[in-house]
Amino acid sequence: MTPTLAEITVKLNLLDTDTEELVAWLDRFPLFVGEKVKTNLQLIDESLHDRNLLAAITLHACASADPDGALNSLERLFDVVAIELLTTVLSNSHQRQQLMTILGGSPFLSTILCRNEKYFAELFTANGIEQACSEEQMASALQLLLPFGSDFEALQACLRCYKASQILRIGSRDLCSLASVVEVMEELSGLAAASLDCAYEHCGFQLQQEYGQPLQDNGNGETDLASMTILGMGKLGGRE
């Protein structure tokens, strides 16, 4: 049983008059915990100041896998994302549905979204959720983000942030049915490969600056430049 938009709009007025009746009504729905939902609705209402939009948000939350989780994560987003940016996305029916699907479908992805406003902006303002990304594109993006010769700490920070943003994009596209299973697996493999290549290039340069070029005995009493092999174990995308 799912409430209609008209029902939600009427019942939200109880936030001003009778919250106990609102909780009792919310408890009628199997996926709602009335008291928790009421609290989240109150907090969102204080930031949003738009009951019609709040009703539409609640309706999309009801269609998600975890309505309580969706509203709770949305309430957290108001502390991270600028109100103008968040309201713009929520006012767009298509993006609102996508956002509530993510927030109600994956606590892991919700945590990334709530970590930094830039992740939210990349996904929705820059429309990253609608875009596929090849391994080559990821490698190019990493080259732009991390100038060659950067130190090890900068490398670690860059790879952590880039991984988070790409996992969010890939996972969100999966949840919102914007990519097939094959596409999702291929992009995860592409992300791993591009990240490994980036780490190898930067770490190799740093080590050579400190110790010189790696050499190996070629068996003829001479030395050649040593090579390196990275083995990726697993079956994501089947391209390891």
Side-chain angles (χ1 to χ4, degrees):
M1 181 173 64
T2 302
T4 65
L5 181 61
E7 287 179 307
I8 296 171
T9 302
V10 171
K11 294 298 183 180
L12 284 178
N13 291 323
L14 294 173
L15 288 170
D16 302 318
T17 58
D18 191 342
T19 56
E20 289 186 4
E21 182 181 341
L22 176 61
V23 169
W25 178 74
L26 290 168
D27 278 332
R28 292 170 48 199
F29 303 100
L31 296 178
F32 274 156
V33 178
E35 187 63 35
K36 290 183 179 180
V37 175
K38 181 264 296 183
T39 299
N40 284 321
L41 289 174
Q42 286 177 321
L43 293 171
I44 294 170
D45 187 46
E46 290 172 4
S47 299
L48 197 61
H49 304 296
D50 187 335
R51 288 283 170 84
N52 289 329
L53 182 53
L54 181 58
I57 291 168
T58 306
L59 182 65
H60 277 129
C62 290
S64 71
D66 180 4
D68 276 351
L71 291 172
N72 185 58
S73 294
L74 178 61
E75 188 276 318
R76 290 167 57 202
L77 270 180
F78 277 96
D79 293 329
V80 178
V81 180
I83 185 65
E84 297 82 5
L85 176 57
L86 188 52
T87 302
T88 298
V89 170
L90 290 170
S91 298
N92 181 304
S93 179
H94 179 62
Q95 290 190 315
R96 178 172 64 243
Q97 183 178 25
Q98 290 177 332
L99 176 59
M100 301 312 292
T101 296
I102 296 165
L103 296 179
S106 173
F108 174 70
L109 296 180
S110 298
T111 298
I112 297 176
L113 263 179
C114 293
R115 192 180 300 166
N116 194 306
E117 182 181 81
K118 75 171 187 175
Y119 295 135
F120 183 91
E122 287 173 356
L123 194 64
F124 291 105
T125 306
N127 216 28
I129 192 172
E130 302 288 347
Q131 300 167 13
C133 194
S134 67
E135 179 183 330
E136 292 73 21
Q137 289 173 310
M138 294 182 197
S140 296
L142 282 169
Q143 288 178 351
L144 291 174
L145 289 170
L146 191 68
F148 197 73
S150 299
D151 61 29
F152 188 64
E153 288 72 22
L155 171 65
Q156 288 179 302
C158 177
L159 289 178
R160 279 196 299 267
C161 291
Y162 189 71
K163 176 187 175 183
S165 68
Q166 291 306 303
I167 289 293
L168 175 61
R169 181 188 60 79
I170 295 168
S172 297
R173 284 173 54 77
D174 185 21
L175 277 179
C176 295
S177 300
L178 295 172
S180 68
V181 173
V182 172
E183 290 172 322
V184 170
M185 295 298 99
E186 285 181 344
E187 288 202 40
L188 287 173
S189 281
L191 174 60
S195 299
L196 283 170
D197 282 343
C198 178
Y200 169 73
E201 290 177 2
H202 283 266
C203 289
F205 176 76
Q206 292 167 13
L207 289 171
Q208 289 181 45
Q209 290 292 103
E210 185 172 355
Y211 299 106
Q213 292 186 328
L215 302 174
Q216 63 181 3
D217 189 345
N218 64 8
N220 297 319
E222 299 177 348
T223 56
D224 294 332
L225 186 64
S227 59
M228 181 175 179
T229 299
I230 300 175
L231 293 177
M233 307 302 292
K235 55 186 177 182
L236 289 179
R239 295 188 292 107
E240 285 79 0

